[in-house]
Amino acid sequence: SVSAFLLNRSSDLEIGLHYDYFRKSHSMPLFQPTEDGNTLSWSINNSYTHDFIAFSLGIQKIDGKSRYMIQYMIGLMNYKEDGNYSPYNKWLTNYSVGHCLGHGMMAGYDYMLNEHTAIGIEVTYCIGNITKLNQQGHLDNLNELVSETIYLNDPISLSRISPKAGLRYYF
């Protein structure tokens, strides 16, 4: 996660930008019985990424070298899934993307090492729901790209809690 704040280092108000990135990959074998008594097997190999870029507004309390922060964030959440997930391997490659308005809250603590650098921790909670996916892929033929829009009955939840620790630079 990256945050850029537009503030005076001694101000109580924080206005800025927040960027958060999450990626997860998953692989697993699947098996399906066929009508002739055999078993069809294939594997699913998918990667999921969530991006969140948001404007943030927050307050901070400065107590000596300690800083306590709370922020509200609102912005664009992106979802991307790519891989293969067809039982009959018709989809040779496939990816789906979706976008939604996301909200979040961040609470953090920084200990100032010097005038500009701090070490700290934060917990971010972001929420958003994808209701429509744009899907592209190759069916049977790698030279033919197929596109479709899928409207989801059950939205994909992008809600998550992200604990983080690291260095922060104050301009």
Side-chain angles (χ1 to χ4, degrees):
S1 132
V2 175
S3 297
F5 303 112
L6 307 170
L7 68 133
N8 181 327
R9 283 185 299 278
S10 61
S11 172
D12 292 337
L13 180 64
E14 297 178 326
I15 301 170
L17 294 174
H18 179 87
Y19 176 75
D20 197 54
Y21 176 81
F22 174 77
R23 180 181 171 93
K24 179 181 180 180
S25 294
H26 187 69
S27 255
M28 67 182 278
L30 294 175
F31 305 96
Q32 179 179 359
T34 61
E35 291 177 5
D36 62 4
N38 293 322
T39 301
L40 178 65
S41 66
W42 72 97
S43 65
I44 292 178
N45 301 303
N46 287 353
S47 294
Y48 308 90
T49 56
H50 304 176
D51 290 295
F52 181 44
I53 185 160
F55 293 105
S56 63
L57 179 63
I59 57 172
Q60 70 175 348
K61 169 121 173 75
I62 301 171
D63 184 15
K65 290 190 171 212
S66 295
R67 289 176 183 256
Y68 304 91
M69 299 162 279
I70 296 177
Q71 295 177 3
Y72 169 73
M73 300 170 286
I74 186 168
L76 178 68
M77 294 187 101
N78 294 310
Y79 170 83
K80 182 178 178 184
E81 177 181 347
D82 58 291
N84 69 316
Y85 48 83
S86 169
Y88 300 102
N89 210 17
K90 289 181 181 176
W91 284 99
L92 300 175
T93 61
N94 185 8
Y95 74 89
S96 302
V97 295
H99 315 283
C100 69
L101 181 67
H103 301 270
M105 293 293 295
M106 187 277 287
Y109 168 79
D110 282 349
Y111 179 79
M112 298 302 294
L113 300 173
N114 60 41
E115 184 181 355
H116 296 282
T117 309
I119 188 168
I121 58 171
E122 74 178 49
V123 175
T124 304
Y125 178 65
C126 302
I127 57 173
N129 289 310
I130 300 293
T131 58
K132 178 177 83 168
L133 288 175
N134 296 316
Q135 183 173 342
Q136 288 188 343
H138 297 280
L139 285 169
D140 297 323
N141 182 353
L142 282 176
N143 295 322
E144 184 181 341
L145 184 65
V146 177
S147 298
E148 65 182 342
T149 299
I150 301 168
Y151 294 91
L152 305 170
N153 291 331
D154 295 320
I156 297 171
S157 174
L158 301 182
S159 302
R160 70 177 187 282
I161 295 176
S162 303
K164 302 172 190 97
L167 292 173
R168 190 182 320 262
Y169 185 81
Y170 288 88
F171 295 95

